[in-house]
């Protein structure tokens, strides 16, 4: 599968913000027309002698006025010819430069591929000579060479950063890449505003990066900003040359004439967000057409790039993209973007055509257009990212004014859960742990618990129950729910470890106060983020209190299951969910699993089960660890289903 990620592009300036050329008052350019003769001499046609003037008329009977008028006319024609000649000359020079650039790029690609092929051959020879542990045999080497030859873009770019690191790292990445390439045969281009770790604001960033790990090649487009480099000027655009992140090819695109659009401290939250992201969306499509890419699917995200749907079908589909289809993913239906219809003209769309109930007209504020609604209407498939809620409940209760639209288009709606990065979060190979472990061998978890206790100054006792709590924000509601959950349990002798993922002064004060209230429990509050400590808390805890089971940013519940800790949610919405989720067969596999295990128990019940029924608890924990809720599991499968369905349309 091939995927591209696009981030702010336009060829030419896509939003028609630039002024149109004024051709009504254009003055002719007075320039002599010169042509070369066979012997190399240059004739200046503007200085060719005219007919000999003999009085009012020459010997042909032409008056001075007529002759002068004729001369002016000839001169204007000569100027027009000269202007066309110069324009043609410029075009020839430009095309020649493009040809030379293409040849150089081809040579560069061939050199890179040759370098990679030589490295594969070296690993193969070392294997045959018995010099390299874990190197490749002839069969695998042949497959890897075919992968390099067949890849659609410069495959060496994907491994440029790994080549200097050593043979083992390169081989591991080649094998991972080769495995992914066998799983699918799509060419996907993502047009998105976030990607972890480049631009990470909310859940979209981890979703884009996490989902991409399951595919052969992604191409991403992301808005360029003041920190990006490798600037290449092409007409109205500045392309920040492709880089590779976790095997994903990423292209940064930044407009030259409107560089202030994305040269800002924050990604979102400005009064001109509509103009900024509409420019980006149109620019991305212009870039795709100009670069002659023909993806199977354009994957767009949230309202920021939802306008790609109308733009694609109304303007771009007949520009070489007849075989391309659109998939929209929505992470927050509450973020809609309502604008006056006239603003649609900024990107070349027809407001009158789109300001209709069955298109972009908002269902409630009918004088406005709803950009996210337009994305839903104009996409072939829509994936709503939600770990806990079914499609019917989302349409009925969580649609934020889009209920009628989602109901009309429900056949193309899919619900996908969040995932987590299993290459980073796996206790069997976690580099931060004192000792690794897995579901079949849990001894390492006991070691990690003692290490955690020692590091935090707690009494070292593997039999003591440790309850971790990891959060990114602490609202008054969350804090009150947390207090209620803890107070409702018998916490005598229980060790609590609270930590946040960023500095929260107000939360610190509130949790320190809460710490003083828990006389019977032993509470440690870690007021600083430490990546290694975070991994240790997951591995050393028996229970993890989480903000919500649907946690697209931190994925606390998912990671807790993987590390053998029971996730217990403390928010009221998840408590309400527990009573009906297990009966909703449209829910995700994660939702059904949680509702049948830890979703229906409180902290108090979990503590009682650990003490009174340890064997049953251990079986439940082992079963949870064996589940796969990473990006490679359900989330990936649902997207394959969506891509396959729309590719066959």
């Amino acid at each position: 599968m091939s995927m591209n990620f696009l981030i702010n592009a336009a060829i030419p300036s896509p939003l028609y913000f630039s002024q149109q050329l004024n051709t009504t008052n254009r003055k002719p350019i007075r320039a002599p027309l010169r042509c070369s003769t066979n012997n190399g001499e240059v004739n200046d046609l503007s200085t060719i002698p005219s007919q000999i003037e003999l009085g009012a008329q020459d010997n042909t009977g032409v008056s001075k006025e007529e002759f002068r008028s004729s001369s002016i006319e000839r001169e204007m024609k000569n100027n027009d010819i000269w202007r066309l000649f110069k324009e043609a000359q410029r075009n020839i020079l430009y095309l020649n430069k493009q040809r030379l650039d293409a040849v150089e790029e081809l040579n560069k690609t061939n050199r890179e591929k040759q370098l990679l092929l030589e490295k594969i051959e070296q690993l193969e020879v070392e294997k045959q000579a018995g010099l390299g542990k874990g190197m490749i045999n002839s069969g695998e080497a042949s497959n890897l060479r075919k992968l390099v030859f067949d890849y659609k873009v410069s495959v060496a770019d994907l491994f440029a950063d790994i080549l200097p690191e050593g043979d083992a790292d390169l081989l591991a990445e080649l094998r991972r890449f080769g495995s992914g390439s066998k799983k699918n045969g799509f060419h996907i281009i993502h047009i998105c505003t976030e990607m972890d770790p480049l631009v990470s604001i909310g859940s979209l960033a981890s979703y884009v990066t996490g989902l991409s790990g399951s595919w052969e090649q992604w191409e991403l487009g992301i808005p360029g900003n003041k920190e990006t480099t490798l600037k290449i000027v092409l007409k109205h655009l500045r392309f920040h040359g492709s880089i590779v992140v976790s095997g994903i090819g990423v292209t940064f695109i930044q407009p030259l004439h409107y560089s202030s659009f994305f040269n800002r401290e924050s990604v979102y939250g400005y009064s001109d967000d509509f103009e900024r992201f509409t420019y980006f969306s149109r620019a991305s499509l212009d870039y795709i057409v100009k670069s002659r890419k023909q993806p199977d699917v354009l994957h767009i995200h949230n309202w920021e790039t939802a306008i790609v749907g109308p733009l694609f079908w109304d303007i771009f589909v007949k520009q070489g993209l007849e075989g391309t289809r659109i998939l929209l993913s929505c992470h927050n239906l509450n973020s809609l973007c309502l604008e006056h219809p006239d603003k649609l003209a900024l990107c070349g769309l027809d407001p009158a055509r789109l300001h209709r109930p069955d298109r972009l007209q908002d269902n409630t504020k009918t004088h406005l257009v709803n950009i996210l609604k337009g994305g839903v209407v104009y996409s072939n498939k829509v994936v709503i990212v939600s770990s806990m809620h079914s499609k019917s409940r989302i349409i009925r209760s969580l649609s934020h004014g889009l209920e009628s639209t989602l109901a009309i288009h429900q056949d193309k709606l899919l619900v996908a859960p969040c995932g987590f990065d299993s290459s980073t979060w796996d206790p069997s190979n976690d580099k931060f742990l004192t000792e690794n472990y897995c579901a079949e061998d849990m001894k390492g978890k006991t070691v990690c618990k003692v290490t955690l206790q020692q590091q935090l100054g707690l009494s070292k006792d593997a039999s003591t129950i440790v309850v971790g709590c990891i959060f990114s924000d602490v609202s008054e509601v969350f804090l009150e729910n947390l207090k209620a959950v803890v107070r409702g349990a018998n916490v005598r002798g229980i060790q609590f470890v609270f930590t946040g993922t960023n500095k929260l002064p107000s939360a610190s004060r509130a949790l320190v106060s809460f710490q003083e209230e828990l006389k019977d429990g032993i509470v440690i509050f870690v007021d600083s983020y430490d990546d290694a400590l975070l991994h240790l808390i997951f591995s050393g805890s028996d229970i993890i209190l989480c903000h919500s089971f649907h946690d697209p940013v931190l994925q606390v519940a998912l990671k807790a299951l993987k590390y053998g800790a029971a996730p217990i949610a403390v928010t009221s919405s998840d408590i309400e969910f527990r009573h009906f989720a297990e009966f909703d067969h449209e829910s995700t596999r994660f939702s059904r699993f949680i509702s049948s295990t830890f979703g229906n128990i409180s902290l108090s019940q979990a503590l009682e089960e650990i003490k009174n029924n340890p064997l049953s608890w251990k079986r439940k924990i082992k079963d949870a660890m064996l589940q796969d809720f990473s990006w490679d599991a359900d989330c990936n499968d649902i997207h394959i289903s969506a891509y396959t369905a729309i590719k066959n349309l």
Side-chain angles (χ1 to χ4, degrees):
M1 163 175 249
S2 166
M3 296 202 173
N4 303 49
F5 291 73
L6 299 181
I7 308 169
N8 250 30
I11 312 179
S13 182
L15 291 183
Y16 302 101
F17 288 114
S18 58
Q19 296 180 350
Q20 298 296 313
L21 293 175
N22 186 348
T23 59
T24 57
N25 298 318
R26 184 185 300 167
K27 294 182 180 180
I29 300 173
R30 295 186 176 274
L33 178 61
R34 294 178 172 84
C35 296
S36 298
T37 62
N38 291 335
N39 61 7
E41 297 178 354
V42 177
N43 288 334
D44 189 339
L45 301 187
S46 67
T47 61
I48 295 176
S50 62
Q51 296 285 341
I52 299 174
E53 299 180 6
L54 298 172
Q57 291 186 343
D58 62 13
N59 57 2
T60 62
V62 179
S63 67
K64 284 185 178 182
E65 289 75 13
E66 291 174 330
F67 182 79
R68 186 177 297 110
S69 175
S70 176
S71 297
I72 293 172
E73 184 177 350
R74 284 199 304 273
E75 183 179 358
M76 292 180 65
K77 287 182 178 178
N78 289 340
N79 286 336
D80 287 340
I81 293 171
W82 176 248
R83 186 168 57 252
L84 291 173
F85 174 77
K86 293 292 288 183
E87 184 176 345
Q89 190 178 44
R90 285 194 298 269
N91 288 338
I92 291 170
L93 290 173
Y94 174 77
L95 291 173
N96 188 53
K97 183 180 182 302
Q98 293 291 92
R99 181 185 66 80
L100 292 175
D101 289 344
V103 171
E104 176 58 28
E105 183 65 26
L106 179 61
N107 291 335
K108 177 175 176 285
T109 297
N110 289 335
R111 289 194 300 269
E112 291 169 342
K113 285 189 174 182
Q114 185 60 38
L115 179 63
L116 200 55
L117 290 171
E118 290 173 359
K119 182 57 104 172
I120 292 172
E121 182 178 3
Q122 175 190 336
L123 297 176
E124 180 185 12
V125 171
E126 289 177 355
K127 173 67 176 180
Q128 293 172 347
L131 300 176
K133 180 182 178 181
M135 298 296 112
I136 51 179
N137 57 36
S138 298
E140 186 177 9
S142 177
N143 292 333
L144 291 177
R145 277 191 285 267
K146 186 176 186 301
L147 173 68
V148 173
F149 277 120
D150 293 347
Y151 198 63
K152 295 180 182 180
V153 298
S154 177
V155 69
D157 283 345
L158 303 180
F159 307 101
D161 294 336
I162 301 175
L163 277 169
E165 297 297 325
D167 295 344
D169 291 333
L170 174 62
L171 183 56
E173 188 67 15
L174 276 168
R175 284 168 170 164
R176 184 202 66 77
F177 186 76
S179 175
S181 68
K182 299 173 184 177
K183 294 169 65 174
N184 33 64
F186 301 112
H187 180 191
I188 311 297
I189 293 181
H190 281 250
I191 303 176
C192 54
T193 55
E194 296 182 38
M195 178 196 175
D196 189 36
L198 299 176
V199 183
S200 185
I201 308 299
S203 60
L204 176 60
S206 58
Y207 165 82
V208 167
T209 306
L211 184 62
S212 68
S214 303
W215 305 91
E216 170 193 336
Q217 178 206 354
W218 296 59
E219 294 184 53
L220 255 86
I222 301 177
N225 57 50
K226 62 184 180 183
E227 296 179 354
T228 54
T229 55
L230 305 175
K231 299 176 181 177
I232 303 172
V233 177
L234 176 58
K235 208 163 186 178
H236 293 278
L237 291 185
R238 183 179 295 142
F239 295 89
H240 298 271
S242 296
I243 63 173
V244 178
V245 180
S246 301
I248 308 165
V250 183
T251 301
F252 294 90
I253 306 166
Q254 178 180 348
L256 286 177
H257 295 302
Y258 298 92
S259 57
S260 63
F261 271 1
F262 300 98
N263 189 18
R264 304 183 184 183
E265 294 301 321
S266 302
V267 177
Y268 312 112
Y270 297 96
S271 59
D272 62 347
D273 275 358
F274 172 79
E275 288 84 352
R276 296 168 66 233
F277 293 115
T278 302
Y279 188 101
F280 168 48
S281 297
R282 168 83 193 225
S284 298
L285 289 168
D286 278 323
Y287 167 72
I288 291 167
V289 169
K290 294 289 183 179
S291 57
R292 298 185 179 180
K293 296 179 184 292
Q294 294 180 319
D296 296 308
V297 179
L298 291 178
H299 192 150
I300 58 181
H301 305 268
N302 298 332
W303 80 258
E304 285 82 5
T305 54
I307 199 71
V308 167
L311 281 169
F312 175 82
W313 291 110
D314 282 10
I315 298 175
F316 286 91
V317 68
K318 294 184 179 179
Q319 298 185 36
L321 298 174
E322 290 82 359
T324 300
R325 295 297 180 261
I326 306 292
L327 184 143
L328 167 70
S329 66
C330 298
H331 295 255
N332 184 4
L333 290 172
N334 193 31
S335 182
L336 307 170
C337 186
L338 304 181
E339 285 291 345
H340 194 278
D342 289 347
K343 282 193 173 183
L344 294 173
L346 289 173
C347 61
L349 292 172
D350 182 359
R353 173 179 167 80
L354 296 176
H355 189 216
R356 292 171 30 177
D358 60 335
R359 296 182 182 176
L360 270 69
Q361 185 181 50
D362 187 62
N363 298 334
T364 303
K365 299 178 180 179
T366 56
H367 64 291
L368 301 176
V369 289
N370 186 321
I371 305 305
L372 184 60
K373 175 183 175 180
V376 172
V377 172
Y378 278 85
S379 294
N380 300 100
K381 286 288 183 182
V382 178
V383 174
I384 299 175
V385 182
S386 175
S387 295
M388 302 307 300
H389 305 301
S390 66
K391 179 167 71 173
S392 59
R393 191 186 177 202
I394 290 170
I395 294 174
R396 184 178 65 252
S397 307
L398 303 170
S399 54
H400 299 283
L402 290 176
E403 181 176 355
S404 60
T405 302
L406 296 179
I408 291 171
H409 296 276
Q410 62 179 314
D411 288 344
K412 64 183 182 184
L413 298 185
L414 296 169
V415 178
C418 299
F420 69 97
D421 182 4
S422 58
S423 66
T424 302
W425 294 94
D426 184 346
S428 66
N429 55 30
D430 192 327
K431 64 181 181 181
F432 292 113
L433 302 189
T434 310
E435 184 174 322
N436 295 120
Y437 62 94
C438 61
E440 288 76 16
D441 184 1
M442 295 286 285
K443 292 191 297 293
K445 185 171 178 66
T446 301
V447 175
C448 290
K449 176 188 283 190
V450 173
T451 302
L452 176 65
Q453 292 169 331
Q454 181 178 5
Q455 187 167 328
L456 296 180
L458 298 167
S459 61
K460 294 186 292 183
D461 185 353
S463 64
T464 299
I465 298 175
V466 175
V467 178
C469 182
I470 300 163
F471 48 82
S472 59
D473 191 12
V474 178
S475 65
E476 290 185 8
V477 173
F478 172 74
L479 190 58
E480 289 304 315
N481 285 334
L482 180 62
K483 289 180 179 180
V485 167
V486 175
R487 286 169 180 161
N490 179 11
V491 297
R492 183 176 297 277
I494 306 299
Q495 295 176 341
F496 289 89
V497 179
F498 295 94
T499 188
T501 57
N502 47 51
K503 202 74 171 175
L504 301 168
S506 59
S508 300
R509 291 190 295 270
L511 286 169
V512 168
S513 174
F514 182 38
Q515 180 179 2
E516 295 173 353
E517 293 181 29
L518 294 176
K519 303 297 184 182
D520 295 331
I522 302 167
V523 180
I524 294 293
F525 173 57
V526 182
D527 190 21
S528 61
Y529 178 77
D530 184 299
D531 202 31
L533 179 59
L534 195 63
H535 283 249
L536 197 57
I537 291 173
F538 274 108
S539 62
S541 297
D542 299 287
I543 296 172
I544 295 286
L545 299 178
C546 50
H547 191 281
S548 170
F549 290 130
H550 176 63
D551 181 10
V553 178
L554 298 182
Q555 303 123 13
V556 171
L558 302 176
K559 295 170 184 175
L561 292 173
K562 187 66 177 178
Y563 279 71
I568 304 295
V570 299
T571 58
S572 58
S573 60
D574 284 317
I575 293 172
E576 294 170 1
F577 147 82
R578 297 169 187 167
H579 299 295
F580 61 83
E582 60 184 312
F583 305 108
D584 193 337
H585 299 292
E586 289 185 328
S587 299
T588 63
R589 185 172 65 86
F590 170 74
S591 176
R592 294 193 297 272
F593 178 81
I594 281 293
S595 68
S596 65
T597 53
F598 308 109
N600 288 309
I601 63 175
S602 64
L603 174 61
S604 177
Q605 291 171 320
L607 294 174
E608 289 298 319
E609 187 169 349
I610 292 174
K611 294 175 181 177
N612 301 329
N613 201 349
L615 292 179
S616 173
W617 181 262
K618 287 179 181 179
R619 284 195 299 270
K620 191 181 293 186
I621 291 296
K622 180 179 179 179
D623 184 41
M625 292 182 68
L626 292 172
Q627 302 296 317
D628 185 3
F629 296 118
S630 68
W631 293 114
D632 293 337
D634 278 13
C635 185
N636 178 62
D637 293 342
I638 290 169
H639 282 82
I640 289 178
S641 173
Y643 292 144
T644 302
I646 61 179
K647 185 178 180 181
N648 294 331
L649 290 177

